[in-house]
Amino acid sequence: MQEMAEGIERGLKGKSFEGSLKFDCGADGVIILKDGAVLAQDEPTDCTLKISKENLGKLLTGKLNAMTGVMTGKLKVSGDMGVAMRLAKLL
């Protein structure tokens, strides 16, 4: 998860992201985007995306479309959908 968090941080360099968002990969851990930082410890966020570690890797590399992920059940969104939509624009 730490490698993924570092990859997300590199990918967001120079880009702004408003709100807080959690990638919840269950037993594999969490990655949180909050206040311009990428964290690997769990805390409350505006929006949570439940996704497997494998599918998160696919999402971040463009091999899984976010909308397709939601429609096929590979990605579940809870909380502020506006935050999730802002993330989709960055991917």
Side-chain angles (χ1 to χ4, degrees):
M1 289 300 287
Q2 187 61 37
E3 286 180 31
M4 283 189 180
E6 290 168 1
I8 292 170
E9 195 164 28
R10 283 191 302 274
L12 292 178
K13 198 166 210 99
K15 299 176 184 176
S16 65
F17 181 77
E18 292 181 32
S20 59
L21 181 133
K22 179 190 316 184
F23 293 105
D24 183 350
C25 297
D28 288 318
V30 299
I31 297 174
I32 294 179
L33 309 179
K34 182 177 179 181
D35 300 327
V38 179
L39 312 168
Q41 70 243 18
D42 198 6
E43 59 182 68
T45 57
D46 298 330
C47 181
T48 298
L49 303 179
K50 287 191 169 273
I51 188 169
S52 70
K53 183 178 177 182
E54 178 185 350
N55 285 328
L56 176 57
K58 291 178 182 178
L59 180 70
L60 297 174
T61 58
K63 294 178 182 171
L64 175 64
N65 176 281
M67 189 60 71
T68 301
V70 170
M71 292 170 54
T72 59
K74 294 178 181 179
L75 172 65
K76 295 182 180 165
V77 181
S78 60
D80 188 339
M81 290 296 285
V83 172
M85 297 303 286
R86 287 193 292 272
L87 173 70
K89 291 178 183 178
L90 294 177
L91 294 175

